[in-house]
Amino acid sequence: MEHPTDKLRAVLLTALMIGSVFTAGIAFTGTAVAAGDITGGANDSGTVTGAAVDPAQVATGETTNGHNFRFTVANVNGSGDTDTIRVNFPNEFAEGLSYNYADLEFTNDDDLQIDGGENLVDGPDNDGVDDTLPIETSPETDGDVEVVLNMNTDAPAEAGYYDIAASYEENDGTTSSNDAFATVTVGDPTTTTSDPGTTTNPTTSDPTTTTNPTTSDPTTTTNPTTSDPGGETYEGRLDFGDNPWDTSTGEGDVSTGATVFQGEDDIQFVDENGNDVSATSLERASGADEGVPLAMPIPQDQTTGSYDLNGPAAGDGGLRVTVQTPRVTTLEVQNNAESDVSGGILTTNQDDASVYVEYNYENAEDIELIVENEDGLDVTDEIVEGTDTMNGDGRIDINPNAVDAGDYTFTVEGVDDLDFGDATETVPVTISSSQTASLNLAADEVVQGENLQYTVENSPEGNFHAVTIDADDFRNGISASNAANILRNVGDTSETGVVTDGGPTTAGNAGDVDIDDVNYAYAIVEIDGGNGVGSINSQHLDDASVDVDLYPASTTEDTYVNDDGELSNATELESLETDDDESFDVTQGTVSLDSPTGAYVVGSERTVNGTASAGIDEVSLYARSNNDFQLVEIDGDRSIEVESDDTFTEDGVVLTEDGDEGNDLLSLPGSYRLGVISSEDADIDGNGAIDSTLTTSEFNSGVSSISSLTVTDTELNGSFQTYNGQVAVEDGEVGVEGTAPGKDNLVVAFVDERGQAVAHTISVDNDGMFDNDGLSLGNLNEGTVSAHILSSGRDGTFGESGTYESASALETQIEGEDGWASGSSSGEQVREQILANTVDDTASDDLIVTEELRLASALTTIESVDGVEAGGTLTVEGQTNRQPDDNTITVELLDQDGDSVTLASTDEWGSNGQWSVEMSLANVEPGEYTLESDDGDNTDRQDIEIVEEVEETTQQPTTEVTETATATETATATETATETATATATATETSEDGSGSGIPGFGMGIALVAVLGAALLALRQN
């Protein structure tokens, strides 16, 4: 019996358990972090680990490739919906900001897939600046997500502190606050620049408080006492004390906030309180090498970034420096006009020349100029006017007249340690005492149409020179516009044109000039970067030796070029002697057509291809009619582009398609001359357009070739696929195949005897073949059906020109709502309408193929049976009107109870509809059976009889029979019975292993009966 106290105890225990569960729930929920909260850094053991930003400090204007930003998103909801993480950068970082990659993972190290975003967009401030990166993800489990973002950044030019923020938006639109998770320090912020959210001096070790470290008043904003007794602040490279920094020697004291460089030596670090600190006390603050100490001298491959006394730990311990790579960013040797001649020529008369330098380590060392001649001899003291060192960006004056003419190298580097890698730069310069410019051609021979580059050398930077080619070297038959473009307006060319007795005419206005009035073609070329580069188009030059003249530079004394680089005084130019002249040979180019040649069927698609010599950019096709060549457009274009390998190719071209006069010409059967010519030579009037008609003389005078083309009319051959001359209603489809070269589409029509019609548009392959296995017969009536294949012929239209211009139009007319088969016309009348409006229409060149077929119900029959002996092979043959692609005929052998004994099937038979199957009768007993064929819709039966297999018996030798008989006669009755049983058993065993001859029908059952009989006989005798 249960005591009442026991019941009460059970109730109390239950209540206590329930209460503890609720209490635990309240305790856990009371300390939860808000969903989507952003915190800087990712310090879990997974792959997404590290400080919030690395590097945390960069120089002003510095480009950082692979800038890492890390943060953690708390309490992500694993709904499986797409959420968005948005990382927001300051506007000052937007220029040059680009995305490399991001990694997401839960704090349990499970990876999280990125689903989209990853393109910079305008941020939540909607100021039109693309400064925000969205990252889409679909977490399926709850948890904290750690994010690492790898970007390329360009630091702003203004030093300061810049916040990086992030937010998390769930699929339902719920968004966390835009929390700043990291701050990037740019440059060396001055004491008046403060960290966002703080009013302390940037050199204070604790940027989160506004309290002066030496005062108890938390409201004061005075500078901390990081200074020497004289009031100087310990910050950057110090300019006070016993060991101030000296850029001329690269030595001195360096304190917190300074930027130091790879390769520097002789640095004494001093903390914010003026205490000396060894370099090894400073450790990498973050990144892959966090905790690695600095060394002195600083290694040339020291990892760039922030180093401080606390290393990876919070704070900087009173001393933080940034390591950067020293670089020379600009080195130019400039002439009097301050134009860069590096790599070019500086003439000795340039007495105001200088070397201009920009570099990033001016706070560490001065820059030094070293000049050496081609033998490696240092001539710095000779060529430099004044000092050969300076601090900061600027110029070092040089006098090229103080040294001999020749090749020199100009090198700048730091005066102390910074003379390696990017901290140094070298450029070559040729100093020339000659005042005569020279002309250099890239080749001595070109193929007509090929471009030839030339270079004007040995002239001061910024000079303008005239380059000319005389009209005697022009190709016959060209226009003034052609001539004005012989010297191309490319490279350092400022103007091109032609000169007549009336003066210069620019290329753009040469269309109104008579070619007979042109004296020469000209180009004005500027010396830029040490040389002046131009180009000659040989297409319009004679295939002979061509002379190119270079004139002296236009000067204040001999001015023929204005301030805009234009030829302004041709008379002044012609009064000058040339500085130089060069000649080159022009050889005639070639072009050939490989295809199409030989035979061509009207309307067919062919590949047009061939080869052209270098310098020919485009070719055009022409067909000859009488004495003129007519343009053949290629897919609506008047030319074909020549590839870089000097070949041209266009696939799937229909030469007879609507185009120019040459296309119409090739639409008529006959033999033609098909020509290909350089497109530039096909622009006879020089107006930039390829001419539609060329005379034989004009065609032959250009770079051209001719081949023969025989055009033949289109053809039509085809047939319909039937089986035993029929199509089964149950199949309802007909196959058609054939050839129709030159056609894209055909119409196939079916008409029954009651005037119902079905029409289809079918396509023709590029090789002229067509093959369609599934043309529906719709609701045609059973009986005779006429089948027609219709081609629009050579003119591409059905019937008289313009009647039915497309296959689809004819299809609609045959079977459409208002078509020929829509009324009460008979089949014969519909057929007459089709013929009258196509092949029999006036001036029609349409083609037709017609066949008759019978539409009937599905029928499969058994026609013959062969091989009905048991153990043999039964062959069944029959007839069907079904399609083998969609149907299978199955033949079953049924016993007298209707049960299946064996079956066979086939899905292969020819257009005559005759099918055949074979089935084995190895396990079939003799008797009466029924054969049944089934095609899925109808069956056929035939009764057959399987007869017993007839076997030939081999007669035993006479001697063996005689011996057996004698033994039987001399034995007693008992012996006979015993021997008989034994012989029977032996015979049975022999037949089972296949070694005995045996007797048909004398099997195991008979042997057992014989043994039993012998045994009973023996028992009776006993």
Side-chain angles (χ1 to χ4, degrees):
M1 177 178 180
E2 187 176 13
H3 196 277
T5 303
D6 296 334
K7 294 181 178 180
L8 180 59
R9 182 182 294 110
V11 172
L12 289 174
L13 289 173
T14 302
L16 180 61
M17 293 175 63
I18 294 173
S20 66
V21 171
F22 279 103
T23 302
I26 294 171
F28 283 120
T29 58
T31 59
V33 179
D37 279 356
I38 308 294
T39 56
N43 298 312
D44 190 65
S45 60
T47 59
V48 182
T49 63
V53 58
D54 177 30
Q57 185 170 6
V58 295
T60 56
E62 180 180 1
T63 297
T64 304
N65 294 322
H67 211 155
N68 288 314
F69 301 89
R70 302 179 181 87
F71 56 91
T72 300
V73 185
N75 293 342
V76 169
N77 179 19
S79 64
D81 295 328
T82 300
D83 300 338
T84 304
I85 301 169
R86 289 186 173 84
V87 184
N88 306 301
F89 293 86
N91 282 3
E92 293 83 352
F93 273 78
E95 185 175 355
L97 185 66
S98 62
Y99 168 76
N100 294 323
Y101 66 86
D103 286 328
L104 280 65
E105 68 177 25
F106 286 99
T107 52
N108 64 359
D109 299 346
D110 288 343
D111 290 335
L112 186 57
Q113 182 72 32
I114 296 176
D115 297 333
E118 303 184 278
N119 288 309
L120 288 166
V121 298
D122 188 9
D125 53 6
N126 293 317
D127 60 356
V129 179
D130 292 340
D131 55 5
T132 298
L133 180 75
I135 301 174
E136 296 178 355
T137 184
S138 305
E140 296 183 354
T141 58
D142 297 343
D144 296 344
V145 173
E146 298 170 332
V147 181
V148 61
L149 186 64
N150 188 277
M151 307 286 291
N152 296 329
T153 62
D154 284 346
E158 183 178 352
Y161 301 99
Y162 296 86
D163 283 345
I164 314 299
S167 63
Y168 190 87
E169 179 181 350
E170 297 190 43
N171 182 263
D172 61 2
T174 303
T175 305
S176 72
S177 59
N178 191 36
D179 299 329
F181 66 86
T183 299
V184 178
T185 302
V186 176
D188 298 330
T190 66
T191 57
T192 60
T193 302
S194 59
D195 192 341
T198 178
T199 59
T200 54
N201 188 288
T203 60
T204 303
S205 60
D206 183 5
T208 62
T209 178
T210 61
T211 303
N212 189 296
T214 62
T215 180
S216 61
D217 183 3
T219 64
T220 181
T221 59
T222 58
N223 289 334
T225 59
T226 57
S227 61
D228 76 336
E232 299 288 351
T233 300
Y234 286 99
E235 182 180 34
R237 297 181 188 258
L238 303 184
D239 58 0
F240 61 85
D242 296 334
N243 189 29
W245 187 261
D246 187 350
T247 58
S248 66
T249 62
E251 299 178 356
D253 291 342
V254 174
S255 191
T256 188
T259 297
V260 296
F261 295 92
Q262 297 166 326
E264 275 200 88
D265 197 0
D266 301 323
I267 296 175
Q268 176 57 62
F269 290 109
V270 179
D271 67 14
E272 62 184 8
N273 296 316
N275 301 315
D276 290 349
V277 176
S278 66
T280 55
S281 300
L282 297 169
E283 296 180 354
R284 182 86 163 93
S286 61
D289 294 334
E290 66 178 23
V292 174
L294 199 60
M296 187 58 60
I298 301 174
Q300 295 180 3
D301 60 352
Q302 181 78 38
T303 301
T304 58
S306 298
Y307 292 77
D308 61 41
L309 292 177
N310 288 358
D316 58 19
L319 178 59
R320 174 188 289 266
V321 298
T322 301
V323 176
Q324 285 190 9
T325 300
R327 291 185 176 91
V328 173
T329 55
T330 302
L331 172 59
E332 294 181 355
V333 178
Q334 299 181 347
N335 63 11
N336 291 4
E338 296 186 359
S339 299
D340 184 19
V341 298
S342 301
I345 296 175
L346 180 65
T347 56
T348 53
N349 65 343
Q350 300 295 299
D351 50 5
D352 288 331
S354 63
V355 176
Y356 179 74
V357 184
E358 293 179 356
Y359 66 111
N360 71 341
Y361 53 87
E362 64 272 12
N363 289 336
E365 293 182 12
D366 294 345
I367 198 78
E368 178 182 15
L369 172 64
I370 301 170
V371 183
E372 296 179 346
N373 66 15
E374 54 194 78
D375 297 324
L377 180 64
D378 189 331
V379 296
T380 307
D381 292 340
E382 288 183 345
I383 196 171
V384 171
E385 292 188 334
T387 179
D388 59 1
T389 65
M390 66 178 180
N391 186 258
D393 301 342
R395 304 178 190 279
I396 298 175
D397 294 333
I398 59 173
N399 180 13
N401 195 40
V403 296
D404 295 333
D407 295 329
Y408 292 84
T409 57
F410 289 73
T411 301
V412 291
E413 60 186 31
V415 296
D416 186 29
D417 304 313
L418 305 181
D419 57 359
F420 64 93
D422 293 338
T424 180
E425 188 69 39
T426 299
V427 296
V429 172
T430 298
I431 295 178
S432 174
S433 59
S434 173
Q435 304 303 309
T436 303
S438 60
L439 182 66
N440 181 25
L441 300 181
D444 296 330
E445 182 179 282
V446 295
V447 176
Q448 199 168 51
E450 191 175 4
N451 294 327
L452 175 64
Q453 180 175 302
Y454 63 85
T455 305
V456 179
E457 301 174 337
N458 197 35
S459 182
E461 191 75 8
N463 276 356
F464 287 93
H465 289 265
V467 178
T468 67
I469 295 179
D470 195 79
D472 292 339
D473 292 322
F474 294 171
R475 189 174 175 180
N476 291 332
I478 69 170
S479 65
S481 294
N482 296 146
N485 289 287
I486 290 176
L487 289 161
R488 303 170 64 210
N489 196 349
V490 297
D492 298 321
T493 304
S494 60
E495 184 184 72
T496 63
V498 292
V499 174
T500 66
D501 291 341
T505 302
T506 61
N509 299 315
D512 297 330
V513 177
D514 189 333
I515 186 62
D516 293 332
D517 295 334
V518 174
N519 297 324
Y520 56 89
Y522 75 90
I524 303 300
V525 181
E526 181 184 7
I527 305 301
D528 184 12
N531 298 308
V533 178
S535 179
I536 301 170
N537 178 6
S538 65
Q539 181 68 37
H540 303 297
L541 293 174
D542 196 11
D543 51 346
S545 179
V546 176
D547 295 326
V548 185
D549 293 325
L550 171 66
Y551 283 84
S554 177
T555 64
T556 55
E557 294 82 11
D558 301 313
T559 303
Y560 59 86
V561 176
N562 62 23
D563 293 338
D564 295 326
E566 301 167 341
L567 178 61
S568 57
N569 191 337
T571 302
E572 182 65 35
L573 169 64
E574 294 162 5
S575 68
L576 301 175
E577 295 291 332
T578 60
D579 268 0
D580 196 8
D581 63 85
E582 294 287 339
S583 61
F584 64 97
D585 294 328
V586 178
T587 60
Q588 191 170 24
T590 60
V591 62
S592 64
L593 184 67
D594 298 332
S595 174
T597 58
Y600 176 76
V601 177
V602 173
S604 63
E605 291 186 356
R606 293 288 294 274
T607 296
V608 177
N609 59 30
T611 59
S613 58
I616 298 179
D617 298 327
E618 294 180 344
V619 297
S620 298
L621 254 62
Y622 285 79
R624 182 175 175 179
S625 173
N626 296 324
N627 293 324
D628 291 334
F629 282 84
Q630 308 295 338
L631 178 66
V632 178
E633 291 189 358
I634 306 299
D635 295 335
D637 295 327
R638 301 173 77 87
S639 64
I640 305 174
E641 183 179 356
V642 179
E643 303 295 336
S644 58
D645 61 354
D646 298 330
T647 64
F648 58 90
T649 301
E650 286 290 341
D651 295 322
V653 175
V654 179
L655 297 178
T656 55
E657 210 165 45
D658 290 342
D660 217 293
E661 295 181 17
N663 302 88
D664 296 337
L665 182 64
L666 296 179
S667 298
L668 301 173
S671 296
Y672 299 93
R673 306 291 284 173
L674 187 64
V676 60
I677 185 173
S678 169
S679 297
E680 288 195 62
D681 291 338
D683 179 16
I684 301 301
D685 54 9
N687 63 355
I690 298 169
D691 296 344
S692 295
T693 302
L694 299 177
T695 65
T696 302
S697 175
E698 290 170 340
F699 186 88
N700 292 335
S701 65
V703 179
S704 60
S705 66
I706 300 175
S707 58
S708 297
L709 186 71
T710 301
V711 178
T712 60
D713 210 343
T714 184
E715 300 175 357
L716 178 64
N717 296 289
S719 62
F720 294 90
Q721 183 64 61
T722 61
Y723 297 92
N724 196 22
Q726 300 180 6
V727 176
V729 173
E730 289 78 358
D731 291 334
E733 293 181 346
V734 177
V736 62
E737 62 182 8
T739 59
K743 305 306 297 179
D744 292 328
N745 298 291
L746 303 172
V747 174
V748 177
F750 302 96
V751 183
D752 65 19
E753 291 302 308
R754 297 185 181 180
Q756 296 296 314
V758 175
H760 301 276
T761 298
I762 65 172
S763 60
V764 181
D765 296 336
N766 292 339
D767 59 0
M769 306 286 289
F770 61 91
D771 187 355
N772 196 309
D773 294 331
L775 297 181
S776 172
L777 295 179
N779 297 318
L780 294 183
N781 298 290
E782 292 189 36
T784 300
V785 174
S786 63
H788 313 275
I789 308 172
L790 290 154
S791 167
S792 58
R794 184 182 66 254
D795 59 8
T797 184
F798 289 95
E800 187 178 1
S801 178
T803 305
Y804 304 105
E805 295 186 351
S806 67
S808 59
L810 180 62
E811 175 188 348
T812 301
Q813 182 60 43
I814 293 174
E815 67 169 10
E817 186 173 333
D818 298 322
W820 296 321
S822 61
S824 57
S825 300
S826 67
E828 184 60 30
Q829 290 174 318
V830 172
R831 283 187 284 271
E832 288 177 356
Q833 287 273 31
I834 293 174
L835 294 174
N837 288 277
T838 56
V839 294
D840 292 341
D841 200 1
T842 303
S844 172
D845 62 353
D846 296 348
L847 303 174
I848 190 170
V849 171
T850 299
E851 291 184 4
E852 280 193 357
L853 55 87
R854 185 166 187 80
L855 183 62
S857 297
L859 180 63
T860 299
T861 59
I862 298 173
E863 301 295 329
S864 65
V865 180
D866 184 39
V868 294
E869 294 182 359
T873 298
L874 184 66
T875 300
V876 183
E877 295 180 345
Q879 193 79 31
T880 187
N881 63 358
R882 305 305 301 272
Q883 295 181 2
D885 292 341
D886 302 321
N887 298 282
T888 299
I889 297 175
T890 302
V891 180
E892 280 190 282
L893 183 66
L894 308 175
D895 61 17
Q896 291 181 334
D897 296 327
D899 295 329
S900 177
V901 176
T902 185
L903 59 84
S905 62
T906 182
D907 58 2
E908 296 181 358
W909 54 88
S911 59
N912 59 9
Q914 295 180 0
W915 57 266
S916 173
V917 298
E918 293 182 348
M919 57 178 65
S920 174
L921 300 179
N923 298 316
V924 179
E925 296 291 335
E928 300 291 332
Y929 294 89
T930 298
L931 278 174
E932 181 182 82
S933 65
D934 188 346
D935 62 12
D937 290 302
N938 68 89
T939 61
D940 187 25
R941 289 194 171 200
Q942 182 170 323
D943 294 332
I944 64 169
E945 179 181 2
I946 304 301
V947 300
E948 189 166 348
E949 181 181 9
V950 178
E951 296 187 10
E952 295 183 2
T953 304
T954 304
Q955 186 173 0
Q956 300 296 326
T958 304
T959 55
E960 291 184 9
V961 175
T962 303
E963 290 175 359
T964 302
T966 304
T968 303
E969 291 172 358
T970 59
T972 63
T974 302
E975 291 172 343
T976 301
T978 303
E979 290 173 0
T980 301
T982 302
T984 303
T986 302
T988 302
E989 292 171 1
T990 302
S991 66
E992 285 179 355
D993 63 16
S995 60
S997 61
I999 299 174
F1002 196 69
M1004 178 63 74
I1006 303 301
L1008 289 175
V1009 172
V1011 171
L1012 290 175
L1016 289 173
L1017 180 61
L1019 288 174
R1020 285 181 180 179
Q1021 290 177 349
N1022 292 335

